[in-house]
């Protein structure tokens, strides 16, 4: 084999044929047709997950802070504004307004439906406060969240448990009695 023939056969084998390119582009197109709707669903799921994580972490932090600083703390839930923030009993009006302005705004696709307290009707409007005492106890409440696909989630804040309990679907306190 001469150098000339080796170079010639190498040049002939470089690149792809038109048929190979068409087949690959077709396969990639088919995969994208099925994958793009899933990516959109995952994004909406992640938005709901982000809101849930914010609530879970904030509740844990407020329990610790209320005990450590021996102050009453609150998680404030603005249902119409779809935003959340924390505050404490010693904040001035100006500090409360600043905390409200710096609130966590729920991402698109996540929504607070209502908040339920023991022995009361669900609250579906206004600003709702869940309190945390200096002894580390929380006011018992259920926060109902939903996403664009109408997937429902209940976040249960119990007085003596450190962690928030998550349940699929909207639960009330009667439902909790049957679960426990």
């Amino acid at each position: 084999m001469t150098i000339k023939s080796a170079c010639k056969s190498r040049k002939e084998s470089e690149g792809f044929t038109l048929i190979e390119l068409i087949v690959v582009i077709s396969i990639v197109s088919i995969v994208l047709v099925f994958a793009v709707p899933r990516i959109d669903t995952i994004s909406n799921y992640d938005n709901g997950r982000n809101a849930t994580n914010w609530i879970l972490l904030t509740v844990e932090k407020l329990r610790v802070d209320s005990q450590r600083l021996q102050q009453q703390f609150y998680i404030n839930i603005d249902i119409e504004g779809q935003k959340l923030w924390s505050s404490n009993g010693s904040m001035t009006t100006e500090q409360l307004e600043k905390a409200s302005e710096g609130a966590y705004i729920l991402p698109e696709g996540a929504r607070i439906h209502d908040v339920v307290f023991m022995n009361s009707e669900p609250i579906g409007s206004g600003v709702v406060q869940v309190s945390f005492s200096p002894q580390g106890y929380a006011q018992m409440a259920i926060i109902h969240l939903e996403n664009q696909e109408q997937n429902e989630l209940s976040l249960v804040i119990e007085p003596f448990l450190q962690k928030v309990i998550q349940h699929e679907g909207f639960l009330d306190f009667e439902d909790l009695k049957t679960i426990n």
Side-chain angles (χ1 to χ4, degrees), residues 43-59 75 82-84 104-112 143-147 153 155 164 166:
S43 172
N44 287 336
Y45 176 76
D46 285 346
N47 287 341
R49 173 75 71 196
N50 289 341
T52 302
N53 286 340
W54 190 93
I55 293 169
L56 296 175
L57 293 172
T58 301
V59 166
I75 186 168
Q82 293 297 300
K83 59 184 185 175
L84 305 126
Y104 171 77
I105 298 172
L106 268 68
E108 187 177 325
R111 177 173 108 66
I112 299 168
I143 301 170
H144 292 139
L145 298 172
E146 64 185 354
N147 64 12
L153 180 68
L155 302 177
V164 175
Q166 301 177 52

Coordinates of all heavy atoms in Angstrom, one line a residue, residues 43-59 75 82-84 104-112 143-147 153 155 164 166:
S43 N -40.4 21.1 35.2 CA -40.2 22.5 35.6 C -41.4 22.9 36.5 O -41.1 23.5 37.6 CB -40.2 23.4 34.4 OG -40.2 24.7 34.7
N44 N -42.6 22.6 36.2 CA -43.7 22.9 37.1 C -43.6 22.2 38.4 O -43.9 22.7 39.5 CB -45.1 22.6 36.4 CG -45.4 23.6 35.3 OD1 -44.9 24.7 35.3 ND2 -46.2 23.2 34.4
Y45 N -43.2 21.0 38.4 CA -43.0 20.2 39.6 C -41.9 20.8 40.4 O -42.1 20.9 41.7 CB -42.6 18.7 39.2 CG -42.3 17.9 40.4 CD1 -43.4 17.4 41.2 CD2 -41.0 17.6 40.8 CE1 -43.1 16.6 42.3 CE2 -40.8 16.8 41.9 CZ -41.8 16.3 42.6 OH -41.5 15.5 43.7
D46 N -40.8 21.2 39.8 CA -39.7 21.9 40.5 C -40.2 23.2 41.2 O -39.8 23.5 42.3 CB -38.5 22.2 39.6 CG -37.8 20.9 39.3 OD1 -38.0 19.9 40.0 OD2 -37.0 20.9 38.4
N47 N -41.1 23.9 40.5 CA -41.6 25.2 41.1 C -42.4 24.9 42.4 O -42.2 25.6 43.4 CB -42.5 25.9 40.1 CG -41.6 26.6 39.0 OD1 -40.4 26.8 39.2 ND2 -42.3 26.9 37.9
G48 N -43.2 23.9 42.3 CA -43.9 23.5 43.5 C -43.0 23.0 44.6 O -43.1 23.2 45.8
R49 N -41.9 22.3 44.2 CA -40.9 21.7 45.1 C -40.2 22.9 45.8 O -39.9 22.9 47.0 CB -40.0 20.8 44.4 CG -38.8 20.3 45.2 CD -39.1 19.3 46.2 NE -39.4 18.0 45.5 CZ -40.1 17.0 46.1 NH1 -40.4 17.1 47.4 NH2 -40.3 16.0 45.5
N50 N -39.9 23.9 45.0 CA -39.1 25.1 45.6 C -40.0 25.8 46.7 O -39.4 26.1 47.7 CB -38.8 26.1 44.5 CG -37.7 25.6 43.5 OD1 -37.0 24.7 43.8 ND2 -37.6 26.2 42.4
A51 N -41.2 26.0 46.4 CA -42.1 26.6 47.4 C -42.2 25.7 48.7 O -42.1 26.2 49.8 CB -43.5 26.8 46.8
T52 N -42.4 24.4 48.5 CA -42.4 23.5 49.6 C -41.1 23.5 50.4 O -41.2 23.6 51.6 CB -42.7 22.0 49.1 OG1 -43.9 22.0 48.3 CG2 -42.8 21.1 50.2
N53 N -40.0 23.5 49.7 CA -38.7 23.5 50.4 C -38.6 24.8 51.2 O -38.0 24.8 52.3 CB -37.6 23.4 49.4 CG -37.4 21.9 49.0 OD1 -37.9 21.0 49.6 ND2 -36.7 21.8 47.8
W54 N -39.0 25.9 50.6 CA -38.9 27.2 51.4 C -39.7 27.1 52.7 O -39.2 27.5 53.7 CB -39.4 28.4 50.5 CG -39.1 29.7 51.1 CD1 -38.0 30.5 50.9 CD2 -39.8 30.4 52.1 NE1 -38.0 31.6 51.7 CE2 -39.2 31.6 52.5 CE3 -41.1 30.1 52.8 CZ2 -39.6 32.5 53.4 CZ3 -41.5 31.1 53.7 CH2 -40.8 32.2 54.0
I55 N -40.9 26.6 52.6 CA -41.7 26.5 53.8 C -41.1 25.6 54.8 O -41.0 25.9 56.0 CB -43.2 26.1 53.4 CG1 -43.9 27.2 52.6 CG2 -44.0 25.7 54.7 CD1 -45.2 26.7 52.0
L56 N -40.6 24.4 54.4 CA -40.0 23.4 55.3 C -38.8 24.0 56.0 O -38.7 23.9 57.2 CB -39.6 22.2 54.5 CG -40.7 21.4 53.8 CD1 -40.1 20.2 53.0 CD2 -41.7 20.8 54.8
L57 N -38.0 24.6 55.3 CA -36.8 25.2 55.9 C -37.1 26.4 56.8 O -36.5 26.5 57.9 CB -35.8 25.6 54.8 CG -35.2 24.5 54.0 CD1 -34.4 25.0 52.8 CD2 -34.3 23.6 54.8
T58 N -38.0 27.2 56.4 CA -38.4 28.4 57.2 C -39.0 27.9 58.5 O -38.7 28.5 59.6 CB -39.3 29.3 56.4 OG1 -38.6 29.7 55.2 CG2 -39.7 30.5 57.2
V59 N -39.9 26.9 58.5 CA -40.6 26.5 59.7 C -39.5 25.9 60.7 O -39.5 26.2 61.9 CB -41.6 25.4 59.4 CG1 -42.0 24.6 60.6 CG2 -42.8 26.0 58.7
I75 N -44.6 32.8 60.6 CA -44.5 32.7 59.2 C -45.7 33.4 58.6 O -46.9 33.0 59.0 CB -44.3 31.2 58.7 CG1 -44.1 31.2 57.2 CG2 -45.5 30.4 59.1 CD1 -43.6 29.9 56.7
Q82 N -49.6 35.6 47.0 CA -48.8 34.4 46.8 C -47.4 34.6 47.2 O -46.4 34.3 46.5 CB -48.9 33.9 45.4 CG -50.3 33.4 45.0 CD -50.7 32.2 45.8 OE1 -50.1 31.2 45.7 NE2 -51.8 32.3 46.5
K83 N -47.2 35.1 48.5 CA -45.8 35.3 49.0 C -45.8 35.0 50.5 O -46.8 34.9 51.1 CB -45.3 36.7 48.7 CG -46.2 37.8 49.3 CD -45.6 39.2 48.9 CE -46.4 40.3 49.6 NZ -45.8 41.6 49.3
L84 N -44.6 34.7 50.9 CA -44.4 34.3 52.3 C -43.2 35.0 52.9 O -42.2 35.3 52.2 CB -44.1 32.8 52.4 CG -45.1 31.8 51.7 CD1 -44.4 31.0 50.7 CD2 -45.8 31.0 52.8
Y104 N -40.6 35.9 50.1 CA -40.4 34.9 49.1 C -41.7 34.8 48.2 O -42.8 34.6 48.8 CB -40.2 33.5 49.8 CG -40.2 32.4 48.8 CD1 -39.1 32.1 48.0 CD2 -41.3 31.5 48.7 CE1 -39.1 31.1 47.1 CE2 -41.3 30.5 47.8 CZ -40.2 30.2 47.0 OH -40.2 29.2 46.2
I105 N -41.6 35.1 47.0 CA -42.7 35.0 46.0 C -42.8 33.6 45.4 O -41.7 33.2 44.9 CB -42.6 36.1 45.0 CG1 -42.6 37.5 45.7 CG2 -43.8 36.0 44.0 CD1 -42.4 38.7 44.7
L106 N -43.9 33.0 45.5 CA -44.0 31.7 44.9 C -43.7 31.7 43.4 O -44.2 32.6 42.7 CB -45.4 31.1 45.2 CG -45.6 30.3 46.4 CD1 -45.4 31.1 47.7 CD2 -46.9 29.5 46.4
P107 N -43.0 30.7 43.0 CA -42.7 30.6 41.5 C -44.0 30.4 40.7 O -45.0 29.8 41.2 CB -41.7 29.5 41.4 CG -41.8 28.7 42.6 CD -42.4 29.6 43.7
E108 N -43.9 30.7 39.4 CA -45.0 30.5 38.6 C -45.3 29.0 38.5 O -44.4 28.2 38.5 CB -44.7 30.9 37.2 CG -45.9 30.9 36.2 CD -45.5 31.4 34.8 OE1 -44.8 32.4 34.8 OE2 -46.1 30.9 33.8
G109 N -46.6 28.6 38.7 CA -46.9 27.2 38.7 C -47.2 26.6 40.0 O -47.8 25.6 40.2
A110 N -46.8 27.4 41.1 CA -47.1 27.0 42.5 C -48.1 28.0 43.0 O -48.0 29.2 42.7 CB -45.8 26.9 43.3
R111 N -49.0 27.5 43.9 CA -50.0 28.4 44.4 C -50.4 27.9 45.8 O -50.6 26.7 46.1 CB -51.2 28.4 43.5 CG -52.4 29.2 43.9 CD -53.4 29.3 42.8 NE -54.6 28.5 43.0 CZ -55.5 28.8 44.0 NH1 -55.3 29.7 44.9 NH2 -56.6 28.0 44.1
I112 N -50.6 28.9 46.7 CA -51.1 28.6 48.1 C -52.6 28.6 47.9 O -53.2 29.7 47.5 CB -50.7 29.6 49.1 CG1 -49.2 29.6 49.3 CG2 -51.4 29.3 50.5 CD1 -48.6 30.8 50.1
I143 N -51.1 23.9 55.6 CA -51.0 24.8 54.4 C -51.2 23.9 53.2 O -50.6 22.9 52.9 CB -49.6 25.4 54.3 CG1 -49.3 26.2 55.6 CG2 -49.5 26.3 53.1 CD1 -47.9 26.7 55.7
H144 N -52.2 24.4 52.4 CA -52.6 23.6 51.1 C -51.9 24.3 49.9 O -52.2 25.5 49.7 CB -54.1 23.6 50.9 CG -54.8 22.7 52.0 ND1 -56.0 23.1 52.5 CD2 -54.4 21.5 52.5 CE1 -56.3 22.1 53.4 NE2 -55.4 21.2 53.4
L145 N -51.1 23.6 49.2 CA -50.5 24.1 48.0 C -51.0 23.3 46.8 O -51.4 22.2 46.9 CB -48.9 23.9 48.1 CG -48.2 24.6 49.2 CD1 -46.7 24.1 49.2 CD2 -48.2 26.1 49.0
E146 N -50.9 23.9 45.6 CA -51.2 23.2 44.4 C -50.4 23.8 43.3 O -49.9 24.9 43.3 CB -52.7 23.3 44.1 CG -53.3 24.7 43.8 CD -54.8 24.7 43.6 OE1 -55.4 23.6 43.6 OE2 -55.4 25.7 43.5
N147 N -50.3 23.0 42.2 CA -49.5 23.5 41.0 C -50.5 23.6 39.8 O -51.7 23.4 40.0 CB -48.3 22.6 40.7 CG -48.7 21.2 40.3 OD1 -49.9 20.9 40.0 ND2 -47.7 20.3 40.3
L153 N -51.1 19.4 47.6 CA -50.2 19.0 48.7 C -50.6 19.7 50.0 O -50.9 20.9 50.0 CB -48.7 19.4 48.3 CG -47.6 19.0 49.3 CD1 -47.4 17.5 49.4 CD2 -46.3 19.7 48.9
L155 N -49.2 20.6 53.8 CA -48.0 20.7 54.6 C -48.6 20.9 56.1 O -49.2 21.9 56.3 CB -47.1 21.8 54.2 CG -46.6 21.8 52.8 CD1 -45.8 23.1 52.5 CD2 -45.8 20.6 52.6
V164 N -42.0 19.4 59.2 CA -43.3 19.6 58.6 C -43.7 18.3 57.9 O -42.8 17.7 57.2 CB -43.3 20.7 57.6 CG1 -44.7 20.8 56.9 CG2 -43.0 22.0 58.3
Q166 N -45.6 16.1 55.1 CA -46.2 16.4 53.8 C -47.1 15.2 53.4 O -46.8 14.1 53.6 CB -45.1 16.4 52.7 CG -44.1 17.5 52.9 CD -43.0 17.5 51.9 OE1 -43.2 17.4 50.7 NE2 -41.7 17.4 52.4

